[in-house]
Amino acid sequence: MTRRIAIGLALWTSAAVFFGGWLETRMLTHALVQLPSLAIAGFLLAPRGRGGADRFAPSALLVALFAAAIWMLPRMLDAALENPVVGVLKCVTIPLLVGLPLGWSWPRLSGVTRAFVWSNAVSMLVTLGWLYKAAPVRVCNYYLVAEQDQVGAAYLVLAVVIGVGWLPRLFLRAAPIPATAPESSPHGLQPVPTRG
């Protein structure tokens, strides 16, 4: 067992079993600690391979994004607390359907696709943050409005942090310039050496 897999298993059992009940007592730790920890655990368990393009990588990415979108809904937080079966499904499907396919597909995705993932994550965080902040009533029956407001603010801050950390990589990445370039004529023709 590699160190990465051992860390993934330890994180999975910690977030799901040992500290699961405590993390679920507050909305902030439930949404921003337990759920990401389960996804990161699956990401660490994914086989990396050699990377490179793979035709199945986009499909795996779509599975991860769809599953993540489902578990980010406020209704799913309530369902995981009121129904033990849904709670078990949360601890199983997030690592296996979010983290694992994302971890497997990430080295095999192009730069454009990775940019799409980051932009999608930022937009989802902004949308949820606005929803939690602007909703006049509780969107989760098991948590107070004050906790809901905290989570909304945390989502917006996280979206800003991701945007600030990711956007410069797109605009500051310069193309490599060759060390020497042959001289050419204005029409792209190379000069012909003359014999002296």
Side-chain angles (χ1 to χ4, degrees):
M1 180 184 299
T2 64
R3 182 181 179 183
R4 176 173 53 83
I5 294 178
I7 295 175
L9 291 175
L11 186 60
W12 191 352
T13 54
S14 298
V17 180
F18 298 117
F19 302 103
W22 177 77
L23 293 172
E24 292 171 352
T25 57
R26 296 185 59 195
M27 188 177 182
L28 187 65
T29 54
H30 191 178
L32 279 96
V33 178
Q34 187 187 41
L35 300 188
S37 296
L38 293 172
I40 293 172
F43 190 93
L44 294 174
L45 294 175
R48 291 297 186 267
R50 299 175 57 184
D54 191 292
R55 60 177 180 173
F56 298 110
S59 300
L61 176 63
L62 288 177
V63 171
L65 294 179
F66 183 74
I70 291 177
W71 283 109
M72 290 182 74
L73 295 175
R75 181 67 185 89
M76 298 307 297
L77 295 180
D78 273 343
L81 294 176
E82 67 186 14
N83 191 333
V85 175
V86 179
V88 173
L89 288 175
K90 175 189 69 177
C91 296
V92 173
T93 57
I94 292 180
L96 297 182
L97 296 182
V98 179
L100 195 147
L102 183 61
W104 178 84
S105 62
W106 193 256
R108 299 166 172 84
L109 297 175
S110 64
V112 174
T113 307
R114 293 185 184 185
F116 166 77
V117 174
W118 284 117
S119 60
N120 184 71
V122 171
S123 64
M124 289 177 64
L125 289 172
V126 170
T127 301
L128 284 174
W130 173 83
L131 172 64
Y132 283 133
K133 295 283 290 182
V137 296
R138 290 190 300 175
V139 295
C140 290
N141 297 327
Y142 285 84
Y143 298 109
L144 301 176
V145 177
E147 295 183 88
Q148 173 179 308
D149 189 71
Q150 291 176 353
V151 173
Y155 276 143
L156 294 176
V157 171
L158 186 58
V160 172
V161 171
I162 293 177
V164 170
W166 164 63
L167 285 177
R169 298 186 179 184
L170 293 181
F171 296 103
L172 299 180
R173 185 178 299 171
I177 301 176
T180 57
E183 297 181 356
S184 60
S185 66
H187 301 286
L189 300 177
Q190 299 296 329
V192 178
T194 59
R195 299 178 181 179

